[in-house]
Amino acid sequence: MGKELDRNIGIPKGAVMDFITKWGTLLTIAVLFIAFSVTMPTFFSAPNIITIVRAVCIVTIIAIGMTISLTVSGMDLSVGSTATFANTVVMTFFVWFQLGSTPWGMALSIVMTIIICLAVALINSLLIVKLKIPDMLATLSTMFMFEGVAMTYAGGGAINENMRRPDGSTALGKVPQLFRTIGREPWIIVVMLVLVLLVFVFLTYTKHGRYMYAVGGNPEAAKLSGINVKKYRTLAYVMSTILASIGGMMIGARVGNAQINSGSSYLMGAVAAAHIGMSVAGIGRPNALGTLAGAILIGVLENGLIMASVPYYAVNIFKGAVLAIALALNYARKK
Amino acid sequence: MENTAKTTLTMRNISIAFPGVKALTDVDFELKSGEIRALIGANGAGKSTLMKVLSGVNTHYDGQIHLDGLPVEIRSPKAAKELGIEIVYQEVDVALVPHLTVAENIMLNHLANNMGRTQIVDWHMVRKSAREALGRLHMNIDVRKRVSDLSLAEKQMVLIARAVLEKCKFLILDEPTAPLSNTETQVFFDVVRHLAHDENVGVVFISHRLAELFEICEHITIMKDGMVVKDMQITPELTIGQIVEYMLGRKFDETYPKTIVPIGEVVLEVQDLTERENRVQEVNMTVRHGEIVALAGLVGAGKTELCKLLFGAYRRQSGVTTLGGKMFHPKNPTQAVAAGLALVPEERRKEGVLVGDPVYANVTVSSLPKFLNKLHFVSKRLQRKATRSQITALGIKTPSENQLVANLSGGNQQKVVVGKWLLSDAEVYIFDEPTKGVDVGAKRDIFELIDGLVSQGKGVIYASCDYQEILAIADRAYIMYDGRIVKEVAIPETDEKELLYYSTGGK
């Protein structure tokens, strides 16, 4: 039917729309980039570009986890709290338990943090797969739960070097320099790119990734083809949690401590990036590269607006508007 | 091809019962590889039940199934697949993943089951195999395209390609042509013929369009009331009329005493009405005050589409409609209701009632402005009062007006939908399959209600595929086939045979 309408108008209105819906996100990034560069000479400078990319890194890592949960047509709202939890746990390993003094201790801390954070995935999949609670609601409850767990574990405050423990003593542990290095460029960017690439390859080229898309697209058809739907939904939440906890540790690596609710501010950015990413190149389904583009769009916008002296409290107006437009590109043409 | 050996699938004395109903009684059915066999019967004759035995969905059958004389058991869909039996259901979307590519959808079973320890998907191989499977069907669909961008006909091809890949020996096609246009049907037939004659696949072809059976099938099995009534070769001498006779069997009558009402002026007039996506084409019809006009046609003939088009739920491409002498082109159902039209939709639970709400909320929902108190708030007291009188008037069986509609039986839910429109004072009422899933008693109540409407001088459009009902209640009938009205008949001068003849494509 679309074709007939196009014929009536003469020029292919559909083709223009197609182009915009496919490349709108990248186009917007380019337009913003050029506009900011022209109006503000300092915008297009090496230090500022690195600032943007660095800001994008953590949100991207968390957002690709979100992306995996979206492939099974779920939605992991607990990623922000998981990041907070991971940030808190890894910092206590270093500061409270002094595990950061050797490289092996640091590696152990990181691995243990991920394992402990898998509790979130465990509860998520229990609620979603076993108890059949809708994804968003289940992860909303774990979001609250682990925000509380992280805060309770930390004793209601931040985790810093030389902090005073509840028993009155001073914590003697240090955050290892190696760990802090990972949080700086270029390593934070390398970690992010490697993770994006891994998830991209996983979703596009392994059978497990394809099963996830099949499960998300039509669970009934997937089941009848012999795909274990429950297993793959669980796996999606496990991967989402792992990526969120890596993101949370990267927060710690960047700032060297664990603030209260340090991860929660990344949740909405991650939701936005993953959804904007769906429309990139007209793919119409969650994908890692699109999510990276979505995160960059938000990063460029945020950085440019702040440099243009838009007050920080007004930036969210533009962020929200861009998200709305990006979602419209993805959903408006669906029937 | 390599497998030219004839295999025969035989079903003997197949019976199956569901709680309270005997669905199949001692059915014998035979299918040879390389033949195309039509399976015909009225709604509820047992065609689908029988095919679900073959495809391993109905597992509790009694009787024997033999493959080349060797006894086999089909107690699971997997067992059916292992015997090479594949089924393509009418609802193609159930089996497809919309946002994956054609290649992946064709190869879905392979990807899910045959990859073993291989972790990485070999896209080159997937696309190549998918292309080959489509090639065997002589189909040219871009395997990189997403399934959500395909037409219905192409989606069917994807499913058939998937079946062909599974070394299918017997293919069951459940009403494959119902949603297809004429050109698409021709292409589809070429594919089916190719599969049967060149690839030695045995095909069961279920269809309500009798005319097309002569084009494609060699044998025909006719079912009625869970039994096979005729099994024969299709010859040029056979006519649609004869098939219809076998389908109907003896005439049994369940007459309903229709009230005779004086028929008045034309209230609704439709000229050359065409729907934007051609689901309804060039329809001409009139409805008079006090008249029940039936839309007769089989499932997929376009009755529901016409009802929705009149009601503004589908968009008009061209044509003129007048209601009560005034131009009437509703852009949406709200305008249609305001102009005096009411629709009792076919999908009752989905489109007609708020199942989670009590009876009174449902009955009054279309006419809330009538139930406002002095402060212009909705008055529950007035709503309940009006509902109580409707419950009595319509004979809705419910403990009270506060009962949730979800807890009522199908027939009583239907009455609630009707009651909702009775309060809104429409001029023309459209009923789309109002007796679907309703027991005999409630059916009679619904007839009485419709009779009551025409007694008040309202016009009624009654869309149904149950021709006995149409003969019992209507004054006139338009017979639909393929989105068009193919014949207008006056009820006293027609019979079920004529209705069925025209609605199956007879000319």
mmCIF file with all atom_site columns, all heavy atoms in Angstrom, chain A residues 145-158:
data_model
loop_
_atom_site.group_PDB
_atom_site.id
_atom_site.type_symbol
_atom_site.label_atom_id
_atom_site.label_alt_id
_atom_site.label_comp_id
_atom_site.label_asym_id
_atom_site.label_entity_id
_atom_site.label_seq_id
_atom_site.pdbx_PDB_ins_code
_atom_site.Cartn_x
_atom_site.Cartn_y
_atom_site.Cartn_z
_atom_site.occupancy
_atom_site.B_iso_or_equiv
_atom_site.pdbx_formal_charge
_atom_site.auth_seq_id
_atom_site.auth_comp_id
_atom_site.auth_asym_id
_atom_site.auth_atom_id
_atom_site.pdbx_PDB_model_num
ATOM 1  N N   . MET A 1 145 ? 15.629 -2.846 45.482 1.00 0.00 ? 145 MET A N   1
ATOM 2  C CA  . MET A 1 145 ? 16.262 -3.767 46.426 1.00 0.00 ? 145 MET A CA  1
ATOM 3  C C   . MET A 1 145 ? 17.756 -3.526 46.514 1.00 0.00 ? 145 MET A C   1
ATOM 4  O O   . MET A 1 145 ? 18.303 -3.350 47.598 1.00 0.00 ? 145 MET A O   1
ATOM 5  C CB  . MET A 1 145 ? 16.046 -5.202 45.932 1.00 0.00 ? 145 MET A CB  1
ATOM 6  C CG  . MET A 1 145 ? 15.075 -6.007 46.728 1.00 0.00 ? 145 MET A CG  1
ATOM 7  S SD  . MET A 1 145 ? 15.187 -7.693 46.118 1.00 0.00 ? 145 MET A SD  1
ATOM 8  C CE  . MET A 1 145 ? 13.761 -7.787 45.103 1.00 0.00 ? 145 MET A CE  1
ATOM 9  N N   . PHE A 1 146 ? 18.419 -3.504 45.354 1.00 0.00 ? 146 PHE A N   1
ATOM 10 C CA  . PHE A 1 146 ? 19.879 -3.452 45.392 1.00 0.00 ? 146 PHE A CA  1
ATOM 11 C C   . PHE A 1 146 ? 20.422 -2.053 45.618 1.00 0.00 ? 146 PHE A C   1
ATOM 12 O O   . PHE A 1 146 ? 21.556 -1.896 46.051 1.00 0.00 ? 146 PHE A O   1
ATOM 13 C CB  . PHE A 1 146 ? 20.466 -4.141 44.166 1.00 0.00 ? 146 PHE A CB  1
ATOM 14 C CG  . PHE A 1 146 ? 20.444 -5.624 44.331 1.00 0.00 ? 146 PHE A CG  1
ATOM 15 C CD1 . PHE A 1 146 ? 19.326 -6.364 43.963 1.00 0.00 ? 146 PHE A CD1 1
ATOM 16 C CD2 . PHE A 1 146 ? 21.498 -6.274 44.950 1.00 0.00 ? 146 PHE A CD2 1
ATOM 17 C CE1 . PHE A 1 146 ? 19.279 -7.721 44.181 1.00 0.00 ? 146 PHE A CE1 1
ATOM 18 C CE2 . PHE A 1 146 ? 21.451 -7.637 45.169 1.00 0.00 ? 146 PHE A CE2 1
ATOM 19 C CZ  . PHE A 1 146 ? 20.346 -8.366 44.784 1.00 0.00 ? 146 PHE A CZ  1
ATOM 20 N N   . GLU A 1 147 ? 19.599 -1.049 45.355 1.00 0.00 ? 147 GLU A N   1
ATOM 21 C CA  . GLU A 1 147 ? 19.981 0.297  45.785 1.00 0.00 ? 147 GLU A CA  1
ATOM 22 C C   . GLU A 1 147 ? 20.123 0.256  47.302 1.00 0.00 ? 147 GLU A C   1
ATOM 23 O O   . GLU A 1 147 ? 21.097 0.740  47.873 1.00 0.00 ? 147 GLU A O   1
ATOM 24 C CB  . GLU A 1 147 ? 18.885 1.273  45.363 1.00 0.00 ? 147 GLU A CB  1
ATOM 25 C CG  . GLU A 1 147 ? 19.299 2.724  45.380 1.00 0.00 ? 147 GLU A CG  1
ATOM 26 C CD  . GLU A 1 147 ? 18.171 3.603  44.842 1.00 0.00 ? 147 GLU A CD  1
ATOM 27 O OE1 . GLU A 1 147 ? 17.919 3.563  43.627 1.00 0.00 ? 147 GLU A OE1 1
ATOM 28 O OE2 . GLU A 1 147 ? 17.541 4.294  45.655 1.00 0.00 ? 147 GLU A OE2 1
ATOM 29 N N   . GLY A 1 148 ? 19.131 -0.370 47.952 1.00 0.00 ? 148 GLY A N   1
ATOM 30 C CA  . GLY A 1 148 ? 19.138 -0.497 49.407 1.00 0.00 ? 148 GLY A CA  1
ATOM 31 C C   . GLY A 1 148 ? 20.250 -1.405 49.899 1.00 0.00 ? 148 GLY A C   1
ATOM 32 O O   . GLY A 1 148 ? 20.938 -1.080 50.870 1.00 0.00 ? 148 GLY A O   1
ATOM 33 N N   . VAL A 1 149 ? 20.458 -2.529 49.200 1.00 0.00 ? 149 VAL A N   1
ATOM 34 C CA  . VAL A 1 149 ? 21.498 -3.467 49.625 1.00 0.00 ? 149 VAL A CA  1
ATOM 35 C C   . VAL A 1 149 ? 22.857 -2.783 49.604 1.00 0.00 ? 149 VAL A C   1
ATOM 36 O O   . VAL A 1 149 ? 23.630 -2.862 50.566 1.00 0.00 ? 149 VAL A O   1
ATOM 37 C CB  . VAL A 1 149 ? 21.506 -4.717 48.712 1.00 0.00 ? 149 VAL A CB  1
ATOM 38 C CG1 . VAL A 1 149 ? 22.767 -5.542 48.948 1.00 0.00 ? 149 VAL A CG1 1
ATOM 39 C CG2 . VAL A 1 149 ? 20.267 -5.559 48.944 1.00 0.00 ? 149 VAL A CG2 1
ATOM 40 N N   . ALA A 1 150 ? 23.136 -2.049 48.500 1.00 0.00 ? 150 ALA A N   1
ATOM 41 C CA  . ALA A 1 150 ? 24.432 -1.377 48.371 1.00 0.00 ? 150 ALA A CA  1
ATOM 42 C C   . ALA A 1 150 ? 24.619 -0.370 49.499 1.00 0.00 ? 150 ALA A C   1
ATOM 43 O O   . ALA A 1 150 ? 25.685 -0.303 50.130 1.00 0.00 ? 150 ALA A O   1
ATOM 44 C CB  . ALA A 1 150 ? 24.525 -0.691 47.003 1.00 0.00 ? 150 ALA A CB  1
ATOM 45 N N   . MET A 1 151 ? 23.563 0.401  49.764 1.00 0.00 ? 151 MET A N   1
ATOM 46 C CA  . MET A 1 151 ? 23.675 1.444  50.773 1.00 0.00 ? 151 MET A CA  1
ATOM 47 C C   . MET A 1 151 ? 23.827 0.846  52.167 1.00 0.00 ? 151 MET A C   1
ATOM 48 O O   . MET A 1 151 ? 24.625 1.318  52.974 1.00 0.00 ? 151 MET A O   1
ATOM 49 C CB  . MET A 1 151 ? 22.441 2.335  50.704 1.00 0.00 ? 151 MET A CB  1
ATOM 50 C CG  . MET A 1 151 ? 22.802 3.808  50.632 1.00 0.00 ? 151 MET A CG  1
ATOM 51 S SD  . MET A 1 151 ? 21.385 4.856  50.811 1.00 0.00 ? 151 MET A SD  1
ATOM 52 C CE  . MET A 1 151 ? 20.612 4.735  49.233 1.00 0.00 ? 151 MET A CE  1
ATOM 53 N N   . THR A 1 152 ? 23.069 -0.210 52.438 1.00 0.00 ? 152 THR A N   1
ATOM 54 C CA  . THR A 1 152 ? 23.140 -0.853 53.751 1.00 0.00 ? 152 THR A CA  1
ATOM 55 C C   . THR A 1 152 ? 24.520 -1.440 53.977 1.00 0.00 ? 152 THR A C   1
ATOM 56 O O   . THR A 1 152 ? 25.126 -1.284 55.037 1.00 0.00 ? 152 THR A O   1
ATOM 57 C CB  . THR A 1 152 ? 22.082 -1.970 53.843 1.00 0.00 ? 152 THR A CB  1
ATOM 58 O OG1 . THR A 1 152 ? 20.835 -1.443 53.423 1.00 0.00 ? 152 THR A OG1 1
ATOM 59 C CG2 . THR A 1 152 ? 21.981 -2.512 55.255 1.00 0.00 ? 152 THR A CG2 1
ATOM 60 N N   . TYR A 1 153 ? 25.037 -2.105 52.930 1.00 0.00 ? 153 TYR A N   1
ATOM 61 C CA  . TYR A 1 153 ? 26.366 -2.708 53.018 1.00 0.00 ? 153 TYR A CA  1
ATOM 62 C C   . TYR A 1 153 ? 27.426 -1.647 53.287 1.00 0.00 ? 153 TYR A C   1
ATOM 63 O O   . TYR A 1 153 ? 28.346 -1.829 54.074 1.00 0.00 ? 153 TYR A O   1
ATOM 64 C CB  . TYR A 1 153 ? 26.653 -3.465 51.715 1.00 0.00 ? 153 TYR A CB  1
ATOM 65 C CG  . TYR A 1 153 ? 28.048 -4.004 51.584 1.00 0.00 ? 153 TYR A CG  1
ATOM 66 C CD1 . TYR A 1 153 ? 28.536 -4.912 52.524 1.00 0.00 ? 153 TYR A CD1 1
ATOM 67 C CD2 . TYR A 1 153 ? 28.867 -3.632 50.524 1.00 0.00 ? 153 TYR A CD2 1
ATOM 68 C CE1 . TYR A 1 153 ? 29.811 -5.418 52.401 1.00 0.00 ? 153 TYR A CE1 1
ATOM 69 C CE2 . TYR A 1 153 ? 30.148 -4.134 50.399 1.00 0.00 ? 153 TYR A CE2 1
ATOM 70 C CZ  . TYR A 1 153 ? 30.617 -5.027 51.346 1.00 0.00 ? 153 TYR A CZ  1
ATOM 71 O OH  . TYR A 1 153 ? 31.884 -5.520 51.221 1.00 0.00 ? 153 TYR A OH  1
ATOM 72 N N   . ALA A 1 154 ? 27.265 -0.480 52.645 1.00 0.00 ? 154 ALA A N   1
ATOM 73 C CA  . ALA A 1 154 ? 28.238 0.583  52.814 1.00 0.00 ? 154 ALA A CA  1
ATOM 74 C C   . ALA A 1 154 ? 28.046 1.330  54.131 1.00 0.00 ? 154 ALA A C   1
ATOM 75 O O   . ALA A 1 154 ? 28.819 2.210  54.468 1.00 0.00 ? 154 ALA A O   1
ATOM 76 C CB  . ALA A 1 154 ? 28.164 1.557  51.640 1.00 0.00 ? 154 ALA A CB  1
ATOM 77 N N   . GLY A 1 155 ? 26.983 0.978  54.859 1.00 0.00 ? 155 GLY A N   1
ATOM 78 C CA  . GLY A 1 155 ? 26.728 1.652  56.125 1.00 0.00 ? 155 GLY A CA  1
ATOM 79 C C   . GLY A 1 155 ? 26.098 3.019  55.929 1.00 0.00 ? 155 GLY A C   1
ATOM 80 O O   . GLY A 1 155 ? 26.251 3.915  56.747 1.00 0.00 ? 155 GLY A O   1
ATOM 81 N N   . GLY A 1 156 ? 25.435 3.200  54.826 1.00 0.00 ? 156 GLY A N   1
ATOM 82 C CA  . GLY A 1 156 ? 24.677 4.420  54.606 1.00 0.00 ? 156 GLY A CA  1
ATOM 83 C C   . GLY A 1 156 ? 25.513 5.579  54.092 1.00 0.00 ? 156 GLY A C   1
ATOM 84 O O   . GLY A 1 156 ? 25.016 6.700  53.948 1.00 0.00 ? 156 GLY A O   1
ATOM 85 N N   . GLY A 1 157 ? 26.811 5.349  53.814 1.00 0.00 ? 157 GLY A N   1
ATOM 86 C CA  . GLY A 1 157 ? 27.617 6.464  53.334 1.00 0.00 ? 157 GLY A CA  1
ATOM 87 C C   . GLY A 1 157 ? 28.492 6.060  52.167 1.00 0.00 ? 157 GLY A C   1
ATOM 88 O O   . GLY A 1 157 ? 28.366 4.962  51.638 1.00 0.00 ? 157 GLY A O   1
ATOM 89 N N   . ALA A 1 158 ? 29.399 6.947  51.771 1.00 0.00 ? 158 ALA A N   1
ATOM 90 C CA  . ALA A 1 158 ? 30.302 6.671  50.661 1.00 0.00 ? 158 ALA A CA  1
ATOM 91 C C   . ALA A 1 158 ? 31.477 5.838  51.143 1.00 0.00 ? 158 ALA A C   1
ATOM 92 O O   . ALA A 1 158 ? 31.756 5.769  52.331 1.00 0.00 ? 158 ALA A O   1
ATOM 93 C CB  . ALA A 1 158 ? 30.794 7.985  50.066 1.00 0.00 ? 158 ALA A CB  1
#
